[in-house]
Amino acid sequence: MKWYVALGRKLGTTRWFPRFARHWLGATDLAIHTLSRGRFALSPRAFHVGILHTTGAQTGKTRRVPLYFGSLDGDLIVAASNYGTGTVPGWAFNLRREPVAKVELEGRAISVRAREAQPAERKRLWQVLDDVFPAYAAYRQRVDGIPLFVLEPFDSAR
């Protein structure tokens, strides 16, 4: 494992880093991704970081947020963990209001339809996400009921 992956995973399990990172990591990652036209991000590719495009629940404007993505049976999986701080991030409310979204991942733009994970599938989905970013286990110890979303790709040309 590369040193920066090990460091990122270790930092993610600390109590102070998520609170600190919540205010600057996402914005910095998004800026680097935008300026490099998707070629670079602050978070290493090993973390499977992509950009989720949602429609603002209150504003109707396009919102972009970098997230860790898991993959299972052709679907993408994301956790609305907000760095384990106990608050639900705005993008989760956006997906609940308008489930059609777009994901930029590994140089591809993917149209998706979001649904919240059912209780029966949460354990399996968390196993996938823990492989992507093991700090999620620490987040779940601090916060109960972190929302999980399954993003089902579809052909937007239809």
Side-chain angles (χ1 to χ4, degrees):
M1 178 183 314
K2 300 209 181 236
W3 68 269
Y4 53 83
V5 174
L7 177 63
R9 289 180 175 172
K10 180 65 177 165
L11 286 174
T13 64
T14 66
R15 286 194 172 272
W16 63 269
F17 184 77
R19 294 180 197 281
F20 176 72
R22 179 177 163 207
H23 297 289
W24 66 268
L25 185 61
T28 304
D29 223 358
L30 187 58
I32 291 170
H33 185 275
T34 301
L35 291 172
S36 70
R37 295 188 192 123
R39 291 188 311 266
F40 302 103
L42 184 61
S43 300
R45 287 196 187 275
F47 290 149
H48 304 283
V49 174
I51 307 295
L52 175 66
H53 298 247
T54 63
T55 301
Q58 295 178 351
T59 66
K61 294 180 181 178
T62 299
R63 302 294 184 199
R64 298 170 45 218
V65 61
L67 297 173
Y68 300 127
F69 287 86
S71 180
L72 181 66
D73 300 331
D75 295 333
L76 299 172
I77 306 156
V78 290
S81 66
N82 210 4
Y83 299 96
T85 59
T87 58
V88 177
W91 63 262
F93 294 105
N94 295 346
L95 285 180
R96 288 172 177 155
R97 176 100 184 241
E98 175 52 64
V100 174
K102 183 176 92 173
V103 173
E104 290 179 61
L105 186 63
E106 298 172 355
R108 299 177 300 143
I110 306 163
S111 296
V112 295
R113 187 168 287 108
R115 65 175 178 80
E116 240 176 298
Q118 299 299 313
E121 64 186 333
R122 289 178 60 85
K123 182 177 180 181
R124 183 175 178 213
L125 298 178
W126 275 122
Q127 289 171 339
V128 171
L129 287 172
D130 286 345
D131 286 342
V132 172
F133 190 62
Y136 281 134
Y139 293 177
R140 290 194 307 280
Q141 288 178 351
R142 292 194 297 260
V143 179
D144 279 335
I146 295 171
L148 290 177
F149 288 86
V150 177
L151 308 178
E152 301 166 341
F154 70 91
D155 184 359
S156 62
R158 293 182 190 175

